[in-house]
Amino acid sequence: MDYAVVGLQWGDEGKGKIVDCLINHALPFKVDYVVRFNGGNNAGHTIVKNGKTYKLSLIPSGVLTENTTNYISRGVAFDPLHFIKELTYLRENGVEVRPYLSFDNPASDVHTTSYLHVDMGCPVITPVHRYVDEMENKSIGTTCRGIGPAYSDYYARRAIRVEDLLLTDEAFEDKFPDCSEATFSMVRDVRDKIRPYVDPYFNFNVYEDERVLFEGAQGMMLDVFHGTYPYVTSSPANPAFASVVTGYHPKNLTTIGVTKAYATRVGSGPFYTELTEGPVAETLGSVGQEFGTVTGRKRRVGWLDLCQLRQSSKIAGTTTLALTKLDVLDTLREIKVCTQVTKHLGSDEYDFNYMTFPGWRTSTKNMTSWEQLPPLAKEYVEFIERFVGIGISIISTGPSSESVILRPWR
Ligand code: GTP
Ligand code: IMP
Ligand code: MG
């Protein structure tokens, strides 16, 4: 049995926290590999554990768990400068991420040691990609991390891939004669720091008794094929992409679809249930701390769109749901969910119908059992399950990995 954790909305659903929680509390066995399969350092996972907050963008969340092996697959757009920065950040915070198969003794200030391998097939993000992203993608509101331009070069079959970072200067110049000086200089600077993490002979061979957890970035509404194109990112968020890019086809994949108890979006594009102003928008934004991890931008907020959630769940092949940030709704008098979208014939206009629930108006923060939840909160959760037709096995009640209600798998 293998697992995939994917976002069912516009990203920032709390996937990082759910991954950490699954590895450390929710699954009754050890996860052998944590694999990032899409996106790049446009993602921002915030994980709060043992009272400490970690912010990761590119490196799989599994590195925060002792002794896990982590893998950045070729589905990921890889920024080598950012990679080095993130390794340093982790090291400064007591987490030593070692190249796969290295066995030195940990330093005394290290509290977590984990392992990481980078696929030599990852497309590399260059300074030129970042520049182009900043110049050309304003209307989409990208993170300006060079993600789109890097994937564009990959599909145009002219990308620098991680394996090329290891070439000698001469070989690199021969292969990429038109490469800009800024890119070439970056390649020279990062080569020796990246080399230990890339093993040209590494095969992602998973043995019968080993377990893999695929960690997704962004969400189904930002998926390049199924999202709100062109207001999307440039890779699929769908767990099917994990098989494509690792060459590993799990026979039994449990997909955990993560959704907030409301909705948010960063950047431009349609967001039908958006609340642009008013006290509810303010509460969701301030209690939910809805500011982007990567860019610090204010996230747009709105009600949960159950029609959207049902459709995303279906496309992602969702087995079970994780509902996050239920605690953010604690003070609301009324909570709405969108239950019907009707398109007007012959026009691009839509009508939206909402169901209104009375708020529970009591704190659910850090609750850990279903029995503790107020009856009105249970009603809200059960309505979502019934509407989407998929059980909610995990309910998150606070940022910390321990603030979670685990229900019998449903
Ligand atoms: P992307 O990969 O960028 O899409 O991000 P993500 O899905 O990993 O989510 P991200 O960490 O960006 O955003 C979730 C935010 O909500 C983080 O700041 C978490 O600490 C926080 N969070 C997660 N679960 C809960 C919860 O149940 N309640 C509250 N109040 N905060 C939560
Ligand atoms: P890009 O991925 O930087 O090209 O940005 C494309 C769109 O996806 C923009 O609207 C971004 O705000 C959004 N986006 C990309 N990554 C994330 C993420 O991790 N969380 C939320 N939105 C994201
Ligand atoms: Mg995020």
Side-chain angles (χ1 to χ4, degrees), residues 7 10-18 36 42-48 53-57 61 215-219 222 258 260 262 287-294 299 323-328 365-366 395-400 403:
W10 285 270
D12 305 321
E13 297 90 350
K15 297 176 290 296
K17 169 195 163 150
I18 297 298
R36 252 302 277 279
N42 49 351
H45 305 304
T46 301
I47 296 160
V48 183
T53 300
Y54 301 89
K55 290 180 188 291
L56 294 172
S57 284
S61 303
E215 176 174 33
Q218 291 87 44
L222 292 172
V258 188
K260 284 181 187 174
Y262 51 99
V287 181
Q289 287 288 298
E290 296 299 355
F291 297 90
T293 314
V294 173
R299 295 176 185 144
L323 182 74
T324 61
K325 299 192 126 173
L326 187 69
D327 55 298
V328 175
K365 188 113 190 164
N366 303 331
I395 300 166
S396 174
T397 55
S400 161
S403 303

Side-chain angles (χ1 to χ4, degrees), residues 156-167:
R157 294 159 296 178
R158 57 178 178 236
I160 297 169
R161 302 198 304 163
V162 163
E163 63 179 353
D164 301 315
L165 298 175
L166 310 183
L167 296 173

Side-chain angles (χ1 to χ4, degrees), residues 374-389:
L376 289 174
K378 286 183 180 165
E379 239 173 71
Y380 184 64
V381 172
E382 286 172 340
F383 184 82
I384 298 169
E385 285 184 311
R386 276 199 306 279
F387 192 98
V388 178

Side-chain angles (χ1 to χ4, degrees), residues 132-205:
V132 172
D133 202 7
E134 220 164 318
M135 292 299 117
E136 292 186 354
N137 294 324
K138 286 242 155 52
S139 63
I140 290 172
T142 73
T143 59
C144 296
R145 296 299 188 263
I147 305 290
Y151 282 117
S152 302
D153 273 355
Y154 187 81
Y155 286 109
R157 294 159 296 178
R158 57 178 178 236
I160 297 169
R161 302 198 304 163
V162 163
E163 63 179 353
D164 301 315
L165 298 175
L166 310 183
L167 296 173
T168 61
D169 284 356
E170 295 72 33
F172 186 85
E173 269 188 302
D174 276 355
K175 192 166 176 184
F176 300 101
D178 300 327
C179 174
S180 74
E181 185 41 45
T183 298
F184 194 23
S185 152
M186 177 198 78
V187 171
R188 283 193 298 261
D189 288 349
V190 301
R191 183 180 292 139
D192 290 340
K193 294 184 183 121
I194 303 292
R195 192 189 305 281
Y197 292 91
V198 187
D199 173 1
Y201 302 106
F202 178 89
N203 259 326
F204 187 57
N205 278 334

Side-chain angles (χ1 to χ4, degrees), residues 218-331:
Q218 291 87 44
M220 287 305 295
M221 296 308 280
L222 292 172
D223 179 290
V224 66
F225 292 109
H226 290 286
T228 50
Y229 191 90
Y231 300 100
V232 292
T233 189
S234 300
S235 67
N238 195 315
F241 190 53
S243 294
V244 174
V245 293
T246 56
Y248 171 68
H249 299 268
K251 286 175 206 71
N252 241 327
L253 184 69
T254 296
T255 295
I256 297 143
V258 188
T259 174
K260 284 181 187 174
Y262 51 99
T264 63
R265 169 165 207 165
V266 207
S268 324
F271 180 9
Y272 298 131
T273 59
E274 181 170 11
L275 297 163
T276 49
E277 55 184 13
V280 175
E282 268 163 40
T283 302
L284 296 179
S286 61
V287 181
Q289 287 288 298
E290 296 299 355
F291 297 90
T293 314
V294 173
T295 58
R297 287 180 293 177
K298 200 168 173 196
R299 295 176 185 144
R300 297 156 67 191
V301 298
W303 296 119
L304 184 60
D305 182 345
L306 288 180
C307 303
Q308 176 272 308
L309 184 63
R310 185 164 57 187
Q311 181 70 0
S312 287
S313 302
K314 181 166 165 262
I315 299 170
T318 305
T319 318
T320 192
L321 294 170
L323 182 74
T324 61
K325 299 192 126 173
L326 187 69
D327 55 298
V328 175
L329 306 181
D330 283 350
T331 57

